[in-house]
Amino acid sequence: MSVWEAVAVLLAGVGAGTINTIVGSGTLITFPVLLAFGVPAVTANVSNTIGLVPGTLSGALGYRRELAGQGRRLRRLGCTALVGGVIGAYLLVNLPSQAFATIVPTLILLALVLVVIQPRIARAAAARRDDGHGGAATEGPLLIAGIFLTSIYGGYFGAAQGVLMMALMGMLLTDDMQRINAAKNVLAFVIDGVAAVFFLFVSQVDWAAAGLIAVGSTLGGQLGARIGRRLPPPALRATIILVGLAAVIRLLVH
């Protein structure tokens, strides 16, 4: 990896850490960059997941004030996320690499659609809470099942897993969106963390890429928690969409 490639990966990590803390889908920044520099798709995904773990922890710590009083919720949903993340990581390692190359373009396109419609989802969730139809304040079976399936997806690939969790919790919980976002960051850390531990023992890692993303995403996690809400949402979504489309093209022509 050249110096300029290393700088690009580091900056991509900063962007991913920032975006993940705000809403999710940071993988759509770092994953295509690794592909562009010739890292094989599965190795890029594994290295990216490991590198983003410090960033998700950084983002969760940045939202620690909003986590107050959510211990019971995080224990229940965290256990669900842990199991789902392991299953997703297992599928990534044990399914043929050809399956990953076939499935991931579809998953990225799904993630891009979620990024586009995320503002509508947020408005709908806010309207339901304002009308008193936001669902139970506790974690019912529907939310637990949704988090479980999202965690499997997150352990396998993870792009826009935060968008999915924000949508689920926003529609099914009566709580402030900033508190929901704080819970999302903790759950993302659990999913990425357990998948990363699994990958350490059974998969090939590009440690240079993972280390650069780790440093960048840690900085980005703090940026996302402190000033990320000031970024123009349309510009942020446009960047994610362009990078995601580049990833799809790169995978399809590889």
Side-chain angles (χ1 to χ4, degrees):
M1 185 180 297
S2 70
V3 173
W4 291 112
E5 289 174 343
V7 170
V9 173
L10 178 66
L11 292 177
V14 174
T18 303
I19 293 169
N20 277 342
T21 302
I22 298 168
V23 64
S25 70
T27 289
L28 295 179
I29 299 293
T30 43
F31 181 70
V33 169
L34 295 183
L35 290 182
F37 295 150
V39 181
V42 173
T43 302
N45 188 38
V46 167
S47 305
N48 179 65
T49 298
I50 292 173
L52 288 178
V53 171
T56 55
L57 176 59
S58 177
L61 292 174
Y63 269 89
R64 57 188 176 275
R65 285 178 296 185
E66 288 83 357
L67 292 172
Q70 297 199 68
R72 179 180 177 276
R73 171 183 296 168
L74 291 174
R75 285 191 293 272
R76 293 190 68 186
L77 296 181
C79 290
T80 303
L82 184 74
V83 176
V86 170
I87 294 173
Y90 176 85
L91 291 175
L92 176 67
V93 171
N94 287 279
L95 290 178
S97 58
Q98 293 84 355
F100 181 83
T102 301
I103 293 169
V104 165
T106 302
L107 295 180
I108 293 176
L109 289 174
L110 173 62
L112 294 179
V113 171
L114 289 170
V115 170
V116 171
I117 67 174
Q118 188 271 334
R120 290 188 177 184
I121 294 172
R123 287 194 295 269
R128 285 174 64 86
R129 284 193 303 274
D130 292 341
D131 293 339
H133 299 108
T138 57
E139 298 66 54
L142 183 59
L143 179 58
I144 291 175
I147 294 296
F148 178 66
L149 293 175
T150 301
S151 302
I152 294 175
Y153 167 76
Y156 184 82
F157 183 53
Q161 66 172 335
V163 176
L164 286 168
M165 286 191 285
M166 288 287 286
L168 285 166
M169 290 189 286
M171 296 296 286
L172 297 173
L173 294 174
T174 51
D175 209 340
D176 178 75
M177 285 302 289
Q178 291 302 327
R179 284 172 52 80
I180 288 174
N181 194 32
K184 176 268 295 179
N185 286 331
V186 173
L187 295 179
F189 169 68
V190 171
I191 296 166
D192 289 348
V194 71
V197 171
F198 187 89
F199 294 149
L200 287 175
F201 293 98
V202 299
S203 189
Q204 183 176 357
V205 181
D206 186 324
W207 285 109
L212 289 166
I213 291 173
V215 173
S217 67
T218 300
L219 296 173
Q222 291 300 304
L223 285 174
R226 293 182 181 181
I227 65 173
R229 301 183 188 95
R230 302 176 186 174
L231 295 175
L236 187 61
R237 281 191 292 274
T239 300
I240 294 171
I241 291 166
L242 289 174
V243 173
L245 289 175
V248 172
I249 294 170
R250 176 68 175 80
L251 285 168
L252 292 178
V253 302
H254 183 64

